[in-house]
Amino acid sequence: MKPEPSAEPLAPGVVRFYSFLPSADRIREDVLAGLALPQKSIPPKYFYDEQGCRLFEEICELPEYYPTRTETAILRGNIADIVQFVGPDAELIEYGSGVQAKTRILIQALQTRLYVPIDIAVETLEASSNALAGRFPFLNIVGICADYARPLALPEFVGVPIRRKLAFFPGSTVGNFTPAEALQFLKNVRRSVGTGGALLIGVDLKKDKATLDAAYADAKGVTARFNLNLLERINRELGADFQLNRFRHRAFYEPTQGRVEMHLESLYSQIAHVAGRRFDFRPGETIHTEISCKYSIAEFQELGKRAGFSAEKVWTDPEQLFSVHGMVAA
Ligand code: AVJ
């Protein structure tokens, strides 16, 4: 299906899906190119196969992983103010919608009539959207399966009164981008919501190294399984032969760069084959799998301004662990 300005009225309870997913060759090209770099690396978007989505949900429940529960509490605790900030009749566009748990808080409070979740994980997108449709019978849902790091022309819809577009990007997933990529992404969002459109974005705050190290290297080893699952996925989908017990999870905060880095470290001198190509590993050599950039409130407001937003609101928790920004496209 091709997203085009739709002349058909939307039907509540009927979930539609559009796919902009790149070809299956894409993961192969990205992984082969990343492993050929001096610092081997694989983009974090490939974490989210079905098992990866499940493991990420498990991470969100961990005592060390404060972002999910803190952001949820910020949204709940400030919902009246958020509703006032957004105003009535907003189309809700969510980037990296996942299981859509925080979205329910917004939809309920805003009485949303049109919800456009965007996610790279097709199974999660479909299952979550269908569950949401059952829960909110007056909600129109149009799921978009896409890699939102690339500019995306979102379809326009008729039949639902919309006064403004609201982009929702929770979870501090913006941290997976470098600041330069985040700026480009925010400019794309700015274009998608149009002048006067709004952005509600969750951003993890800079803090002490011990808290961040623990959040990304939990005692139960769930984050380790999440990280190693990337190799399992590559083994399965690209006919690779990584031996998972010959790599270990490494995650640490780099205060100078203000970011957490996740790596998979080779425990031995070893060889792995991916899609017929050979890759050599030295003992201690790593595959860089993720960055999770942290911002001060002022730093993120500055980034938003450079992307064409005015920073109108910021909500945070008493411990200043996490922030939710309310911005308007100038
Ligand atoms: C989904 C990108 C927000 O960076 O905190 C959690 C992913 N990685 N634990 C994050 C993640 C390791 C998460 N984001």
Side-chain angles (χ1 to χ4, degrees), residues 18-67:
Y18 293 107
S19 182
F20 288 84
L21 267 194
S23 71
D25 292 347
R26 179 104 225 161
I27 176 167
R28 188 174 160 275
E29 285 165 29
D30 284 352
V31 169
L32 289 176
L35 290 178
L37 295 172
Q39 167 63 72
K40 295 179 170 72
S41 57
I42 300 173
K45 62 188 169 203
Y46 295 121
F47 281 135
Y48 302 96
D49 66 352
E50 273 190 275
Q51 175 68 356
C53 288
R54 267 198 294 278
L55 286 168
F56 180 64
E57 287 317 305
E58 215 180 306
I59 288 173
C60 291
E61 306 284 316
L62 292 169
E64 297 95 329
Y65 195 74
Y66 60 86

Side-chain angles (χ1 to χ4, degrees), residues 71-183:
E71 184 180 42
T72 303
I74 292 170
L75 294 173
R76 277 196 210 290
N78 297 281
I79 196 66
D81 202 19
I82 291 170
V83 167
Q84 189 160 35
F85 164 72
V86 174
D89 297 330
E91 171 180 341
L92 177 60
I93 303 165
E94 181 171 14
Y95 295 84
S97 48
V99 298
Q100 306 172 357
K102 295 160 196 159
T103 324
R104 292 171 182 234
I105 303 170
L106 282 187
I107 290 172
Q108 180 75 52
L110 293 168
Q111 294 287 295
T112 307
R113 299 271 312 275
L114 177 54
Y115 173 49
V116 182
I118 308 169
D119 206 287
I120 196 164
V122 64
E123 298 87 359
T124 303
L125 179 69
E126 291 185 352
S128 306
S129 301
N130 288 327
L132 204 67
R135 174 79 195 278
F136 296 102
F138 296 103
L139 182 62
N140 296 281
I141 304 179
V142 183
I144 311 256
C145 194
D147 172 7
Y148 52 74
R150 304 157 169 275
L152 199 63
L154 292 175
E156 298 286 336
F157 300 99
V158 297
V160 180
I162 295 301
R163 283 206 227 176
R164 113 185 299 188
K165 292 184 184 179
L166 167 67
F168 182 44
F169 194 30
S172 200
T173 305
V174 71
N176 271 177
F177 295 128
T178 65
E181 291 165 345
L183 177 62

